[in-house]
Amino acid sequence: MAYVCQLGAGQSVYLENQAAQTVVTLISSGPGQQQQASSSFTTGVWTSPPQVFQTPRGMVLKVTSEQGERMLQIQGSSVSLLGEMPLAADSKALTVQEVPSLPVVPGIQPMEPMAMKPMEPMKPMNLKMGDMEMNMNPMSMQMGNMELRMGSPAAAAKSFCSQCGTSVQPEDRFCSNCGHQL
């Protein structure tokens, strides 16, 4: 069996003994959200229900097992093992209720590797809409009398004057339109 204790302010602790392990799950809940964190400690098989005490320094969980008494400190969202029960006259025992154990979910098995076949090479793409035409190999686009080419030897040989934008040949030293030195 498992046990739950309300710590207040939307916090509770879920306690369960799984073989020699004590599993402590802190649960914080608020409007529209819930968070939980679990810790596990080797304490042995419980011989009596766990006890929870509120102390000035947080909560203390007392577990009695075949191996003796173990104390666990709960502060905020962390749980740690204590050597002994802290001495405090104003410690208050909290109510611990027995609840059914959560079902154990078997481990998730990893997926088997899938045999993937290599991708096929991309087929040449030719697109024509009205007076616009696009080709992907070599990449070119033509709209009306305007044309753009990339990756073809003819496109690499074409140059333009940096001053006026007129088409010039690679062997030209001056622009034939504006006379700018190339």
Side-chain angles (χ1 to χ4, degrees):
M1 280 305 224
Y3 297 86
V4 69
C5 177
Q6 300 300 322
L7 303 177
Q11 281 195 313
S12 58
V13 62
Y14 176 84
L15 309 164
E16 187 171 17
N17 190 218
Q18 296 175 354
Q21 297 290 312
T22 295
V23 179
V24 180
T25 304
L26 295 171
I27 303 166
S28 298
S29 58
Q33 67 179 3
Q34 182 175 355
Q35 296 177 348
Q36 62 185 44
S38 293
S39 300
S40 177
F41 300 90
T42 303
T43 59
V45 178
W46 295 350
T47 56
S48 64
Q51 296 174 299
V52 180
F53 299 93
Q54 184 174 4
T55 68
R57 296 177 61 202
M59 305 294 170
V60 174
L61 167 64
K62 179 180 176 184
V63 174
T64 306
S65 71
E66 299 166 334
Q67 298 176 356
E69 289 184 349
R70 301 272 193 239
M71 303 295 167
L72 301 170
Q73 175 82 40
I74 302 172
Q75 285 184 313
S77 61
S78 66
V79 181
S80 58
L81 201 55
L82 288 175
E84 58 186 40
M85 179 73 169
L87 298 174
D90 50 354
S91 292
K92 175 184 165 190
L94 299 177
T95 305
V96 179
Q97 297 175 343
E98 189 173 345
V99 294
S101 294
L102 295 176
V104 175
V105 179
I108 298 174
Q109 299 299 318
M111 289 179 60
E112 291 294 321
M114 295 174 32
M116 295 180 67
K117 58 182 179 179
M119 290 179 60
E120 293 181 24
M122 198 168 151
K123 293 180 175 70
M125 182 180 94
N126 295 322
L127 175 67
K128 189 168 179 101
M129 294 187 304
D131 67 344
M132 184 179 96
E133 184 176 343
M134 289 180 66
N135 298 307
M136 292 305 285
N137 199 8
M139 188 170 178
S140 66
M141 184 171 88
Q142 185 174 356
M143 290 177 59
N145 63 355
M146 188 170 62
E147 185 175 347
L148 172 67
R149 291 186 186 275
M150 294 177 71
S152 68
K158 245 183 184 175
S159 298
F160 299 92
C161 172
S162 60
Q163 190 71 26
C164 69
T166 300
S167 179
V168 294
Q169 298 301 318
E171 62 272 2
D172 290 345
R173 293 177 51 186
F174 296 94
C175 176
S176 61
N177 185 47
C178 69
H180 179 71
Q181 185 178 356
L182 301 173

